Amino acid sequence: MKILRLAAAAAALFVSLQASVQAQTTLRIGLAEDPDILDPTLGRTYVGRIVFASLCDKLFDIDEKLNIVPQLALSQETSADGKEVTIRLRPGVKFHDGEPFNAEAAKFSLDRHLTLPTSFRKPELAALDHVDVVDPLTIKLVLKTPFSPLIAQLTDRAGMMISPKAAKEEGDKFGLHPVCAGPYKFVERVQQDRIVFEKFADYWNKDNIQIDRIVYLPLVDATVRLANLKSGGLDLIERLLATDIKSVQADPKLKLSSAIELGYQGVTLNVGKDKAKGALSQSAKVRQALDLSIDREAINQVVFNGEFKPGNQWVNPDHPYYQKAFPVRPRDIAKAKALLKEAGVAAPVGVDFMVPKGAETEAVAQVIQSMAAEAGFDMKIRVTEFATSLKQAEAGEYQAYMLAWSGRIDPDGNSYIFLKTGAPQNYSTWSNPEADKALDDARLVTDQSQRKAIYEKLTKLALDEEPLLYIYHRRILIAHTTRLEGYKQMPDGLVRVVGLKLK
């Protein structure tokens, strides 16, 4: 009898363990690319920001109406002269390694953004002179000058907090084992295959975390991503093709979430670092000719079924900072040819056109190639893996580069790091003192009408010299299973996991 009771107990334990395993929920997210390094100070890819949304909480976040809301910070107060910002921090927060989040930790993260030689956050926090610890849960940001985009910058990677202990121990390998204070903690990463997170038991908002594990799977082919979603291999995919919208809407097991992005899709032109000294880098007239050869609305209709929004600036035409005095110029092949002639350039103008791998990106590049050919350009498309393309852009190993920017809520975040002389993502290496002044001046004022007047000057300079051709603004298209409840899409394109449930 004793043996039978033990056997029954063992069987019951097995069933209990099996039920426990079955109760574990895993959200599988299909990404369009493999992210770069998982270090908020060094990261620069859109998919990296999607992954960080689960891993690294920020001082502030945004809501659906683009209002700035508290996250790891509770409040902020700016001094009358605009040079001091006092931030009160949330109590009881822990990093994934159990270390406490406090004022010293916040100061460490911000100092690291400012001082790490390879930091991509430094220009985002350029006005920050130093951080003072006021008390265990209060910091004061002391600025060199007033800096209107500051709090908006802290809603993204510049505001992500990392464990000082882990950062010191890991050194330059921190991105291989990141430790933050977000809802999920890092488990493993297999390059080009998967990134695995598990729920952090001590998360400050743990009652709103209902899913046990998240697995991010990079699948470059959008058709493969959708096939996996339909078959049940994935629960959510980002960057659904616009041509697949109807397919998702017709599937009772799937749901579509969308919003017009804050960012832009464009072609960066190598102005200052083209070793071959091609015609594009030598003359603004040649760059204007390339721009005039492009029909933005035709691209929208042909590639995206009219779902996206054509544009010619770093913010979309519905944005309050869009400069209506500079509307999208219509395609004009005759004028484009005349500009080439004025520049003393003979057709065909050969252009090394670097294009990150991806169905829609490649399709847009092919349409641009065809359009530009009519004006006398020979756009030689070179399809490149995304992370590799960024490295080549840094080195100036391209002449035209099809590059997207996911966007920020403040216009400074869409312009400064790409157009300011010496900024780390100024891949065109364009340099214009008047543009630099406008970029800096716009950071000093908070009044929208004053800032918009400053950005009008910058817009004219950028559209005259054309270091970057702004082409269109995407509709963020996220498809997911109806088993996933509570999902809302915001214009920044991130996939937020707090509050989500899997039925």
Side-chain angles (χ1 to χ4, degrees), residues 212-357:
D212 298 298
R213 285 168 74 86
I214 299 181
V215 181
Y216 295 92
L217 300 151
L219 295 167
V220 174
D221 191 316
T223 305
V224 173
R225 284 200 303 281
L226 180 56
N228 274 270
L229 180 67
K230 288 189 168 189
S231 69
L234 292 172
D235 303 297
L236 180 149
I237 61 172
E238 57 109 2
R239 271 177 277 181
L240 175 78
L241 296 180
T243 48
D244 287 329
I245 289 175
K246 289 180 180 177
S247 174
V248 168
Q249 290 173 331
D251 192 326
K253 294 181 180 178
L254 300 181
K255 189 174 179 181
L256 179 71
S257 294
S258 73
I260 289 291
E261 69 175 349
L262 293 171
Y264 60 81
Q265 314 295 299
V267 181
T268 300
L269 304 179
N270 189 345
V271 174
K273 218 172 181 178
D274 179 16
K275 295 167 188 172
K277 302 292 182 188
L280 276 175
S281 67
Q282 301 303 299
S283 171
K285 287 183 178 180
V286 176
R287 298 192 290 274
Q288 290 167 9
L290 177 59
D291 192 352
L292 286 168
S293 75
I294 298 170
D295 186 331
R296 289 161 170 79
E297 181 54 39
I299 291 173
N300 183 36
Q301 295 297 332
V302 170
V303 184
F304 306 116
N305 286 358
E307 293 285 346
F308 291 4
K309 190 174 284 291
N312 66 333
Q313 298 172 29
W314 48 85
V315 293
N316 71 59
D318 296 332
H319 195 281
Y321 278 92
Y322 183 80
Q323 302 293 333
K324 292 181 180 177
F326 301 100
V328 175
R329 287 177 285 213
R331 188 183 192 222
D332 191 334
I333 293 297
K335 189 172 181 181
K337 288 180 176 179
L339 283 169
L340 288 182
K341 190 174 181 181
E342 286 175 31
V345 174
V349 179
V351 178
D352 171 35
F353 189 14
M354 183 165 65
V355 178
K357 188 173 177 58

Side-chain angles (χ1 to χ4, degrees), residues 109-228:
S109 292
L110 292 168
D111 284 348
R112 185 174 185 265
H113 288 330
L114 281 177
T115 60
L116 204 65
T118 48
S119 171
F120 281 93
R121 307 288 80 81
K122 190 171 182 178
E124 297 169 9
L125 299 171
L128 180 57
D129 185 74
H130 65 274
V131 182
D132 288 336
V133 172
V134 177
D135 63 43
L137 287 174
T138 309
I139 56 173
K140 182 186 290 183
L141 309 189
V142 181
L143 310 180
K144 301 168 190 172
T145 60
F147 186 52
S148 53
L150 178 63
I151 303 303
Q153 295 287 21
L154 298 179
T155 67
D156 207 88
R157 287 172 293 206
M160 291 179 188
M161 301 288 102
I162 67 171
S163 164
K165 180 184 176 185
K168 290 170 186 174
E169 289 176 353
E170 294 289 341
D172 60 2
K173 293 184 171 57
F174 176 81
L176 300 177
H177 304 96
V179 179
C180 292
Y184 289 83
K185 62 182 182 179
F186 179 82
V187 175
E188 68 166 344
R189 179 178 190 178
V190 179
Q191 211 80 23
Q192 302 292 338
D193 182 73
R194 66 185 181 274
I195 301 171
V196 182
F197 293 160
E198 66 180 27
K199 183 165 66 174
F200 178 43
D202 290 327
Y203 182 54
W204 63 270
N205 193 15
K206 62 184 175 184
D207 292 345
N208 281 319
I209 305 303
Q210 310 295 331
I211 297 169
D212 298 298
R213 285 168 74 86
I214 299 181
V215 181
Y216 295 92
L217 300 151
L219 295 167
V220 174
D221 191 316
T223 305
V224 173
R225 284 200 303 281
L226 180 56
N228 274 270

Side-chain angles (χ1 to χ4, degrees), residues 448-478:
Q448 183 173 311
S449 61
Q450 290 179 22
R451 290 188 85 203
K452 192 168 182 178
I454 294 168
Y455 279 122
E456 184 176 6
K457 297 175 188 174
L458 178 65
T459 303
K460 184 179 188 310
L461 291 167
L463 292 179
D464 282 347
E465 297 197 17
E466 304 249 53
L468 202 159
L469 310 183
Y470 303 95
I471 308 294
Y472 62 93
H473 306 272
R474 295 175 302 183
R475 181 172 294 281
I476 297 158
L477 297 172
I478 301 285

Side-chain angles (χ1 to χ4, degrees), residues 33-76:
E33 296 132 10
D34 196 34
D36 60 346
I37 188 165
L38 296 181
D39 182 333
T41 304
L42 306 179
R44 53 187 166 153
T45 59
Y46 169 49
V47 281
R49 292 173 66 230
I50 291 175
V51 173
F52 281 134
S54 301
L55 179 70
C56 301
D57 274 7
K58 304 156 292 189
L59 291 174
F60 300 92
D61 200 4
I62 62 169
D63 64 15
E64 291 168 88
K65 295 180 180 178
L66 300 183
N67 296 311
I68 294 175
V69 295
Q71 196 168 60
L72 291 179
L74 289 179
S75 65
Q76 62 87 16

